[in-house]
């Protein structure tokens, strides 16, 4: 894992990049001073936790993976009553977004459920809150 360090006027910015879900997720940490080696190891540990989490989300919600929960649901191999709690959360959140935007946002595409537009933003927000926000 590569940490890109950039010195700013009064701070140091650290940037970590991870590619998944067909996009790039960038974590940036701005510190008052250069991180110690111990602090850098902590950042790397939390970044790895975040990356693992994002990969798990992708494995569950990718429409490109045949064994993802979304693909199984779209093929009718599992019913809405058989999906995981997190699937129910995403499904209901997408429905709420559809209602709130007067259908400008719709997670249904070609008669299939495709929550990727919601999942990418939700997963990075949740991941950063879980692995970084309370740790630094």
């Amino acid at each position: 894992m590569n940490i890109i360090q950039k010195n700013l006027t009064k701070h140091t910015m650290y940037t970590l990049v991870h590619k998944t879900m067909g996009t790039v997720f960038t974590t940036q940490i701005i510190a008052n001073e250069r991180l110690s080696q111990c602090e850098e190891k902590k950042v790397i540990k939390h970044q790895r936790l975040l990356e693992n989490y994002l990969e798990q989300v992708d494995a569950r919600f990718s429409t490109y993976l045949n064994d993802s929960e979304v693909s199984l649901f779209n093929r009718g191999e599992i019913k809405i009553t058989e999906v995981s709690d997190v699937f129910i959360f995403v499904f209901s959140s997408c429905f709420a977004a559809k209602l709130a935007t007067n259908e400008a946002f719709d997670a249904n595409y070609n008669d299939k459920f495709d929550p990727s537009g919601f999942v990418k933003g939700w997963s990075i927000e949740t991941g950063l809150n879980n692995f970084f926000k309370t740790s630094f």
Side-chain angles (χ1 to χ4, degrees), residues 18 34 48-49 55 74 78 104 119 127 134-135:
H18 181 64
R34 184 179 170 90
R48 285 195 176 124
L49 290 170
E55 293 299 333
N74 283 334
I78 56 174
V119 165
T134 59
S135 302

mmCIF file of all heavy atoms in Angstrom, residues 18 34 48-49 55 74 78 104 119 127 134-135:
data_model
loop_
_atom_site.group_PDB
_atom_site.id
_atom_site.type_symbol
_atom_site.label_atom_id
_atom_site.label_comp_id
_atom_site.label_asym_id
_atom_site.label_seq_id
_atom_site.Cartn_x
_atom_site.Cartn_y
_atom_site.Cartn_z
ATOM 1 N N HIS A 18 -7.839 3.322 -3.358
ATOM 2 C CA HIS A 18 -8.245 1.924 -3.534
ATOM 3 C C HIS A 18 -9.243 1.849 -4.681
ATOM 4 O O HIS A 18 -10.199 2.622 -4.737
ATOM 5 C CB HIS A 18 -8.877 1.381 -2.246
ATOM 6 C CG HIS A 18 -9.295 -0.044 -2.347
ATOM 7 N ND1 HIS A 18 -8.397 -1.058 -2.538
ATOM 8 C CD2 HIS A 18 -10.521 -0.622 -2.308
ATOM 9 C CE1 HIS A 18 -9.035 -2.205 -2.589
ATOM 10 N NE2 HIS A 18 -10.337 -1.969 -2.458
ATOM 11 N N ARG A 34 3.727 15.934 10.482
ATOM 12 C CA ARG A 34 4.045 14.643 9.861
ATOM 13 C C ARG A 34 3.727 13.505 10.833
ATOM 14 O O ARG A 34 4.026 13.587 12.020
ATOM 15 C CB ARG A 34 5.519 14.615 9.465
ATOM 16 C CG ARG A 34 5.933 13.373 8.745
ATOM 17 C CD ARG A 34 7.417 13.451 8.364
ATOM 18 N NE ARG A 34 7.880 12.179 7.894
ATOM 19 C CZ ARG A 34 7.839 11.789 6.625
ATOM 20 N NH1 ARG A 34 7.378 12.615 5.712
ATOM 21 N NH2 ARG A 34 8.281 10.610 6.263
ATOM 22 N N ARG A 48 -6.661 -0.689 5.384
ATOM 23 C CA ARG A 48 -6.890 -2.087 4.983
ATOM 24 C C ARG A 48 -8.267 -2.565 5.448
ATOM 25 O O ARG A 48 -8.950 -3.302 4.733
ATOM 26 C CB ARG A 48 -5.783 -2.983 5.532
ATOM 27 C CG ARG A 48 -4.500 -2.815 4.756
ATOM 28 C CD ARG A 48 -3.514 -3.920 5.028
ATOM 29 N NE ARG A 48 -2.354 -3.734 4.169
ATOM 30 C CZ ARG A 48 -1.116 -3.629 4.603
ATOM 31 N NH1 ARG A 48 -0.852 -3.708 5.891
ATOM 32 N NH2 ARG A 48 -0.123 -3.463 3.760
ATOM 33 N N LEU A 49 -8.659 -2.181 6.655
ATOM 34 C CA LEU A 49 -10.002 -2.530 7.135
ATOM 35 C C LEU A 49 -11.070 -1.925 6.227
ATOM 36 O O LEU A 49 -12.053 -2.594 5.876
ATOM 37 C CB LEU A 49 -10.194 -2.037 8.574
ATOM 38 C CG LEU A 49 -9.398 -2.759 9.655
ATOM 39 C CD1 LEU A 49 -9.497 -2.005 10.986
ATOM 40 C CD2 LEU A 49 -9.869 -4.195 9.810
ATOM 41 N N GLU A 55 -14.638 -4.237 -0.344
ATOM 42 C CA GLU A 55 -14.646 -5.464 -1.155
ATOM 43 C C GLU A 55 -15.822 -6.359 -0.764
ATOM 44 O O GLU A 55 -16.440 -6.994 -1.621
ATOM 45 C CB GLU A 55 -13.320 -6.213 -1.020
ATOM 46 C CG GLU A 55 -12.127 -5.481 -1.622
ATOM 47 C CD GLU A 55 -12.233 -5.215 -3.112
ATOM 48 O OE1 GLU A 55 -12.927 -5.968 -3.837
ATOM 49 O OE2 GLU A 55 -11.624 -4.225 -3.572
ATOM 50 N N ASN A 74 -31.853 -10.779 -8.389
ATOM 51 C CA ASN A 74 -32.339 -10.405 -9.722
ATOM 52 C C ASN A 74 -32.731 -11.613 -10.567
ATOM 53 O O ASN A 74 -33.622 -11.513 -11.412
ATOM 54 C CB ASN A 74 -31.300 -9.556 -10.454
ATOM 55 C CG ASN A 74 -31.284 -8.123 -9.959
ATOM 56 O OD1 ASN A 74 -32.278 -7.615 -9.448
ATOM 57 N ND2 ASN A 74 -30.151 -7.470 -10.096
ATOM 58 N N ILE A 78 -33.196 -15.980 -4.847
ATOM 59 C CA ILE A 78 -33.574 -15.676 -3.462
ATOM 60 C C ILE A 78 -34.670 -14.623 -3.508
ATOM 61 O O ILE A 78 -34.712 -13.787 -4.413
ATOM 62 C CB ILE A 78 -32.378 -15.197 -2.600
ATOM 63 C CG1 ILE A 78 -31.683 -13.986 -3.213
ATOM 64 C CG2 ILE A 78 -31.394 -16.333 -2.340
ATOM 65 C CD1 ILE A 78 -30.588 -13.389 -2.341
ATOM 66 N N ALA A 104 -36.238 10.667 -9.846
ATOM 67 C CA ALA A 104 -35.002 11.041 -10.543
ATOM 68 C C ALA A 104 -33.912 10.008 -10.241
ATOM 69 O O ALA A 104 -33.069 9.716 -11.082
ATOM 70 C CB ALA A 104 -34.546 12.427 -10.121
ATOM 71 N N VAL A 119 -24.986 2.450 -3.416
ATOM 72 C CA VAL A 119 -24.027 1.662 -2.628
ATOM 73 C C VAL A 119 -22.654 2.314 -2.558
ATOM 74 O O VAL A 119 -22.012 2.287 -1.503
ATOM 75 C CB VAL A 119 -23.936 0.222 -3.196
ATOM 76 C CG1 VAL A 119 -22.718 -0.510 -2.679
ATOM 77 C CG2 VAL A 119 -25.198 -0.545 -2.848
ATOM 78 N N GLY A 127 -17.945 3.216 5.759
ATOM 79 C CA GLY A 127 -16.599 2.717 6.010
ATOM 80 C C GLY A 127 -15.705 3.742 6.689
ATOM 81 O O GLY A 127 -15.001 3.424 7.657
ATOM 82 N N THR A 134 -13.611 7.795 14.193
ATOM 83 C CA THR A 134 -13.429 7.714 15.644
ATOM 84 C C THR A 134 -12.013 7.307 16.033
ATOM 85 O O THR A 134 -11.691 7.275 17.215
ATOM 86 C CB THR A 134 -14.426 6.687 16.256
ATOM 87 O OG1 THR A 134 -14.184 5.418 15.651
ATOM 88 C CG2 THR A 134 -15.853 7.122 16.020
ATOM 89 N N SER A 135 -11.168 7.037 15.055
ATOM 90 C CA SER A 135 -9.816 6.548 15.348
ATOM 91 C C SER A 135 -8.746 7.619 15.289
ATOM 92 O O SER A 135 -7.630 7.408 15.735
ATOM 93 C CB SER A 135 -9.467 5.424 14.370
ATOM 94 O OG SER A 135 -10.409 4.375 14.471
#
